[in-house]
Amino acid sequence: MAQRRARLLAVTTAAAVALTVAGTQSGAEAGGRGGHGPEPAARPTKVVVIVVDALSKEIVDRYDMRNVEALMKDGVDTPHGYLGHTGSVTVVTHNVVTTGASPKHMGWTTEGYRDVDGLLGAPGGLYITSNFGLAQMAPLQQAAGYPHLSDYLDDTGKVFTVSPKGYAAWGLSGPGSARTSTITFGSGPTCTNPDGTTTRYRQPTGWNVPAYFSTACGSRWLARRDTIYDTGQYPAQLYPATDNRYVVGADPAQQGGDVWATDAVLEVMEQEGDGWSGIFVSLPGVDKAAHMWGGVNDPEGATPGYDPMTHMRYATRTADAQVGRIMQALEDSGQLDDTLVVLTADHGSVAAGEGHFHGDVEPENDYGYYNWYYGSPANDVPYLRPQEALLPLIEGTDDGTGATNVGLSYSDSSLNVWLKDQSAAKVAEAAALMEDLPDVTAVWRRHGDHYDRVTPVRWDRMRGAEKRWFAAKAQELVDTQAADYGPDLVATLPDDTTYSVLGDHGGIQRASQQVPIVFAGANTSHKDLRAEVRSVDIMPTILRAMGIAPTRAMDGTAHELPTRKHRR
């Protein structure tokens, strides 16, 4: 038995995960009593949500992620599914997945935010949302008034959220209650090594962190800081790995990144037994590698001083193995039959093509932040070194005092702008300047609950399939940001264009939008949903599968999951 367990925990093939998913069949279905006709299977009582950050369908295919592919084959896949909103960024989607709320109704829409009602400070203040922790997210979530998935589940058991990335954790978990735990990374101890040197660490922090996650020196739950591997060079230097928050690391006793997150999930399962009802986990390794090395354009072995640990091939293989480990743990514990598993991503990854990267490069670690942001946000340092491509907008607008009218801009695979003077004339002035920025396909102006396109579409900057996607989806996707706290203007960009780092997120591109959405475990069948399932549909679909009546209307659609029919 021990030998079989060791073999299964090293799940690396599609066939092995197929065995895991097949474990959702009951003994009756596998040849039990029968004779009394079909009856509906019991509803799931538990939920596991696995978010593999930046995992586009293209990445799954390119890197042959066999465990993910097996779930897509043997669970309920959504071949026509897509993200369904902008900004297609972590800080938005994690909250969408566990609330069923569109960004225009959930409190913030992308990595920039205008505090219209003064929930965080003086009314009108401009903020960067990826700096938000519980103290900032909770007031926005509570003001919007929607419940999180954890609010429905904590009546029947404890709910745990695990993510090395803080704002991802708080989006998935919600504000928290006495029966919820949120486990992420914070600054940890400086520990003395046997040779007298010292090492700085990150440690578990969050909300109601269980005591079994020790923060003492030597604990498995610490992750090393001050490690940069091969990422202190272009292009990774724009957003380098500086510790093991997102990278696994070389110490097998204190691995970080996706392995740390999965180990934490398995620890929760072991310690809590049957006492949990929900586990939400975010695996950020693919996202970090894609940002640093340009996603599917990662040079891999051609990188000077190449360390495979920071690159896409290693990151995708690692994330894939963690999916297998979680599924195997559910089967080994006998809980898979009662657990609905959701596998998805927070966004895909746009890879900048030659001549279509419009960020600046300086020999400084984290210079990419100056490409992502322009302005003086209330919760960060000033970002006043805009890339050359953005200068016509920054220098061409005037707030009436001789200063730029751009209060905040956020640029990735789309351009998002919050203006100081929001008068019609000033918005039109900025829109005209944005139309002429490199590779812009259209400019959109916020108008109530939607955006109006105010420039012609530059079809000449798109290819065939991209044109069809734009025609079908651009308006729908941009409109999901149409809130008074959202950007005043949005400029869309082609498939292979970024203004920030070589691999990025944010826009309407197919590479950002076409992400896996898979339902497995419990009594799900292998029959696919043919509808265009979106991230906002995940929450209502989970509630429908569990037989839970929502206490508030959601923006998403509750799809009925195909199920196996059990027999008496």
Side-chain angles (χ1 to χ4, degrees):
M1 185 67 177
Q3 183 178 7
R4 177 178 181 271
R5 177 179 175 84
R7 176 178 64 82
L8 289 177
L9 283 178
V11 180
T12 56
T13 66
V17 174
L19 289 174
T20 296
V21 177
T24 61
Q25 297 180 357
S26 70
E29 186 181 13
R33 298 174 186 172
H36 294 282
E39 67 175 9
R43 294 186 182 276
T45 60
K46 301 176 183 291
V47 179
V48 170
V49 177
I50 307 170
V51 183
V52 183
D53 294 356
L55 189 65
S56 65
K57 293 180 181 179
E58 178 185 19
I59 288 173
V60 173
D61 292 340
R62 177 75 66 92
Y63 292 97
D64 193 22
M65 297 179 70
R66 296 184 179 184
N67 292 337
V68 173
E69 290 171 335
L71 282 184
M72 294 169 75
K73 177 182 178 182
D74 297 309
V76 179
D77 192 17
T78 58
H80 305 297
Y82 63 105
L83 194 72
H85 61 262
T86 55
S88 53
V89 294
T90 303
V91 72
V92 172
T93 304
H94 283 75
N95 199 69
V96 169
V97 165
T98 54
T99 63
S102 170
K104 68 196 296 182
H105 298 141
M106 72 176 224
W108 65 97
T109 68
T110 187
E111 290 212 27
Y113 165 73
R114 191 193 301 275
D115 190 12
V116 178
D117 297 322
L119 297 172
L120 304 180
L126 295 168
Y127 292 79
I128 293 175
T129 59
S130 56
N131 288 339
F132 283 178
L134 176 62
Q136 295 76 37
M137 273 196 189
L140 306 188
Q141 293 164 332
Q142 290 164 346
Y146 47 73
H148 270 72
L149 180 55
S150 58
D151 296 318
Y152 291 100
L153 298 178
D154 64 6
D155 286 340
T156 57
K158 297 178 182 178
V159 182
F160 296 86
T161 300
V162 179
S163 175
K165 193 183 299 184
Y167 56 88
W170 299 118
L172 280 172
S173 68
S177 70
R179 289 174 63 81
T180 63
S181 295
T182 303
I183 307 154
T184 185
F185 269 139
S187 296
T190 297
C191 300
T192 302
N193 302 315
D195 63 0
T197 61
T198 59
T199 300
R200 296 197 310 155
Y201 290 93
R202 292 194 180 276
Q203 69 180 23
T205 188
W207 175 267
N208 284 345
V209 178
Y212 47 81
F213 289 105
S214 168
T215 60
C217 287
S219 167
R220 181 276 165 273
W221 304 113
L222 301 185
R224 184 169 182 162
R225 305 182 71 173
D226 306 318
T227 55
I228 199 164
Y229 305 102
D230 61 348
T231 70
Q233 60 186 310
Y234 179 79
Q237 190 179 42
L238 289 166
Y239 183 49
T242 55
D243 60 26
N244 291 344
R245 179 197 293 268
Y246 306 134
V247 178
V248 172
D251 184 353
Q254 291 179 317
Q255 292 181 308
D258 292 1
V259 175
W260 181 90
T262 303
D263 283 357
V265 167
L266 302 192
E267 185 74 11
V268 166
M269 290 182 183
E270 181 174 344
Q271 294 282 349
E272 303 295 334
D274 199 43
W276 60 274
S277 57
I279 295 175
F280 315 144
V281 59
S282 169
L283 304 178
V286 173
D287 178 86
K288 186 63 172 178
H291 279 308
M292 291 192 297
W293 299 112
V296 295
N297 292 337
D298 188 338
E300 291 286 350
T303 303
Y306 174 61
D307 189 328
M309 191 178 300
T310 74
H311 289 262
M312 285 291 290
R313 188 172 293 116
Y314 184 98
T316 53
R317 186 167 64 245
T318 299
D320 191 55
Q322 307 321 304
V323 173
R325 292 178 67 210
I326 292 171
M327 294 300 293
Q328 192 61 54
L330 287 169
E331 184 183 40
D332 288 347
S333 67
Q335 296 180 102
L336 188 56
D337 286 349
D338 300 317
T339 304
L340 179 64
V341 179
V342 181
L343 173 71
T344 190
D346 55 348
H347 54 77
S349 178
V350 176
E354 186 174 355
H356 297 283
F357 173 60
H358 301 302
D360 286 350
V361 178
E362 296 291 342
E364 303 174 27
N365 288 345
D366 283 323
Y367 193 82
Y369 284 97
Y370 290 101
N371 293 330
W372 273 315
Y373 309 120
Y374 174 81
S376 297
N379 63 337
D380 207 336
V381 300
Y383 293 100
L384 302 176
R385 298 158 67 179
Q387 58 268 65
E388 184 177 353
L390 205 63
L391 280 176
L393 172 65
I394 305 301
E395 296 178 346
T397 60
D398 188 333
D399 68 353
T401 70
T404 180
N405 194 37
V406 176
L408 181 68
S409 72
Y410 172 66
S411 307
D412 49 13
S413 67
S414 67
L415 307 178
N416 307 269
V417 174
W418 291 257
L419 298 174
K420 300 173 188 174
D421 183 340
Q422 298 172 274
S423 65
K426 289 297 184 180
V427 172
E429 174 188 66
L433 292 166
M434 292 175 72
E435 180 181 9
D436 293 331
L437 297 180
D439 279 333
V440 166
T441 57
V443 180
W444 312 73
R445 178 188 63 205
R446 181 167 50 81
H447 183 192
D449 65 353
H450 67 280
Y451 279 84
D452 292 331
R453 182 171 54 80
V454 294
T455 67
V457 177
R458 290 294 303 269
W459 298 107
D460 58 306
R461 291 178 172 171
M462 294 181 271
R463 297 178 291 272
E466 183 180 5
K467 293 178 182 179
R468 293 190 293 274
W469 177 262
F470 184 99
K473 300 297 181 187
Q475 183 74 58
E476 169 200 337
L477 295 171
V478 171
D479 280 350
T480 61
Q481 288 207 79
D484 53 4
Y485 46 77
D488 300 308
L489 291 164
V490 175
T492 48
L493 302 172
D495 273 1
D496 59 352
T497 303
T498 72
Y499 270 62
S500 44
V501 293
L502 265 66
D504 218 345
H505 46 36
I508 66 169
Q509 295 91 338
R510 292 167 298 164
S512 260
Q513 291 289 325
Q514 292 181 334
V515 300
I517 301 174
V518 185
F519 301 89
N523 62 328
T524 55
S525 77
H526 63 274
K527 184 178 179 181
D528 294 339
L529 284 174
R530 310 308 297 183
E532 289 190 320
V533 181
R534 306 156 298 161
S535 299
V536 75
D537 301 334
I538 291 174
M539 168 76 158
T541 299
I542 290 172
L543 295 185
R544 178 170 181 167
M546 300 185 76
I548 297 174
T551 58
R552 178 181 168 123
M554 291 170 280
D555 293 313
T557 299
H559 297 278
E560 183 172 1
L561 298 178
T563 59
R564 295 181 174 93
K565 296 297 183 181
H566 290 220
R567 305 179 71 89
R568 295 181 189 273

